[in-house]
Amino acid sequence: MTQVGEGHETAADEAGPVLTFGAPTAGEVLAERYQLEEHVNNDSAGRQVWRGIDVILRRPVAMVLRHPGGDSAVEMLQAAVAASRVIHPNLVGVYDAIDEQERAYVVREWVDGESLRDLVASEGPLDPARAIAIAHSVADALTAVHATGMVHGNVHPGSTLIADDGRVVLADARADAADSTESDVRAVGGVLYFALTGHWPHTEVGRSALPDANRDSAGNPAAPRQIRAGIPAYLDDLTMDLLDRRVAAPGSDALTAELGRLDAAAEDEEYEDVGPLRFVQAGAGSSSEPIRSAPKILVGVGALIVIAIIGLIFGIRAINNTGNSTDSGNNPAAQPTNAGDSSVQPPAPRPQQIKLTADMVRMVDPPTGDRSDSEQAKYTVDGDPDTAWETQTYNSAPFGRLKDGMGILINLGQPRSLSEVQVLTSAPGATIDVRTGSKDFGDNSEGDKKLVKDFKSLSDEKPEKSTGTTTAFSGFNPDEKYQYVLVFLTSLPPSDEGSGYKVSVNEIKLSGY
C-alpha cells in the first residue's frame, strides 16, 4: 500500500540514504507521542514511510523518516511546515515536523487507499471520466496551495492518492527553486496523460521510474488517443496543451474550473457536448504573476463596465453640446472607437471535427480497381465504431507486387484548412499513410492508379506500423487548404482468425477550421 512520500525521482535527497544505523522498529514511540506500527515502504528519495499511531489523539498517522536530520533535512521540514498551513480536502494533512539531528521525520495524515501509480499498475489505464475526476481534485488542491503563494513541486502519480472512500488527495510537497506554479499546472497534464495511457510523459530515472511515453523521432510523446481508442478529442487536446510549453499554461484556478466543467459533463455522459475549452485566465500560469481568484476577476470586469458606462454618458453629453450636427452618423465623435488594448489578441480558433457523410468517401483499390466491397466505405464515417470497412485476407502483411495498398478517399467538396486525421482500426500493426491531392481522377482502376501515384504523403518519413488501434496524423500545412484526403493502407496486421493478414477500418475522423 503506497502512502505519502512517493513522487518523482529527484536528486534533492541524495545525501539521505535509507535508514540503517539506529533504524526505527515497530513499537518504538517517537517524540513521546507517535508509535511506529508498520514499515510501509521506502520512497524514491530513500526515506522510510511508516504507518503509526498518535497515542495522544488515538488516530492513525503516516510518518516519513529521514537520516540524518540537521542541515540536510531542512528542505523536507520547511516544505512540511509550509504544507501544514494549507487545509483542503484534496491535500494530505500535515500534523508535525521534528528534527532530532540524527534523524528527522514528518507526521502526516494516514490515507487508507493506494496511489494513482499503483492503481494504474494493477487495473490498467482509467476511463476518461475517472481520469478527469482525479485531475480535477489535484488541480483544486493546487489552487489552494498557490493561493497562499506556495508551490507544491511534486505532482506525480506516486503522490496522488486515491482513498478507499473515493477521495483523491495530493501528498508530499517538495518544492525547490526550480519549481513554479506553471510547472505544477503542467504536471496535472502529466497526471491526466498517465491516467489515460499508463505512461508518464516526463523522463524519469531510478528504481521506481514510471513507464515512459511512446515518442516520435523528435522525442515528443504521442497523444493519448494515438495510443488508446475512446478518448474524447477535447480531453486529448487539453492534456497535450498542458504538456506543450509552446502553449501558455492557465492558472491553477482556471484549470480547476475547466476540469470541473468537464467533470460535470462526464457525470452526465455528455462528452460530445462540452464544447471548446474555456480557460478564462489564458497565460495566467506564469510563475512571476500572482494567482487571481474568480471573484477578483469579476470585480475587475464590473469596474471596467461602470467606467465604460460613465464614459459613454459624458461622451453623449459632449456630442449634444457641440450643436454641430443632430445626425450622430455623420459626427466622427459619435462613432465607436477601439478603446481596448490593441495588444490583446482574440484566442486562436480551435479545430472542430468535420461532419463526413457517405457521399464524401469512396474506396481506392489499384491496380484492379475491385469494387466488390465498395459499399463498406460509408461505414468509416457513419459515427458508429462497431461498423467498418473490412479488407480481404491476404497472404502477406505488405501487398507486395499485387498492389501498393488500398484505402479510403475523402472528398470534402471544397478546399478547407485541416488539422488532423484520426483513424480507428480493429487491431494495431497496420501501416497507414495519409496523402493529399488536388483532384479525383475517376472511380475506376486507371483513376485509382493515377491518384495513388500523384497524391503526396503528409510526412516525409516512411510510415510506421501503428502501435494502437487509434492513430492520428497532423502534418497539414496551416497555410494550405485541402479538398482530397486519402487514408491509404500499405501493410496489414495478422488476422485474428488465425491465418493471413487483414484489418478493419472502423472510423475516420477529420478535424479542421
Side-chain angles (χ1 to χ4, degrees), residues 463-494:
E464 298 181 355
K465 290 184 178 180
S466 61
T467 57
T469 56
T470 302
T471 308
F473 304 85
S474 56
F476 293 101
N477 186 335
D479 297 325
E480 293 184 17
K481 293 188 176 182
Y482 306 83
Q483 180 173 341
Y484 295 93
V485 178
L486 174 63
V487 176
F488 200 56
L489 303 175
T490 59
S491 181
L492 304 175

Side-chain angles (χ1 to χ4, degrees), residues 354-432:
I354 297 172
K355 175 65 175 177
L356 301 178
T357 57
D359 60 343
M360 299 168 70
V361 297
R362 74 170 181 86
M363 194 172 73
V364 173
D365 190 11
T368 60
D370 184 9
R371 300 295 183 268
S372 60
D373 52 359
S374 60
E375 284 298 310
Q376 294 184 10
K378 63 184 179 184
Y379 295 137
T380 64
V381 295
D382 63 356
D384 183 357
D386 293 329
T387 61
W389 162 54
E390 184 179 57
T391 69
Q392 298 177 8
T393 303
Y394 293 85
N395 293 327
S396 63
F399 294 92
R401 288 181 294 180
L402 181 66
K403 55 189 173 185
D404 293 333
M406 59 194 307
I408 299 294
L409 177 66
I410 303 170
N411 179 3
L412 295 172
Q414 62 182 14
R416 296 192 58 168
S417 296
L418 302 178
S419 63
E420 184 181 79
V421 176
Q422 185 181 144
V423 183
L424 174 63
T425 57
S426 58
T431 303
I432 306 172

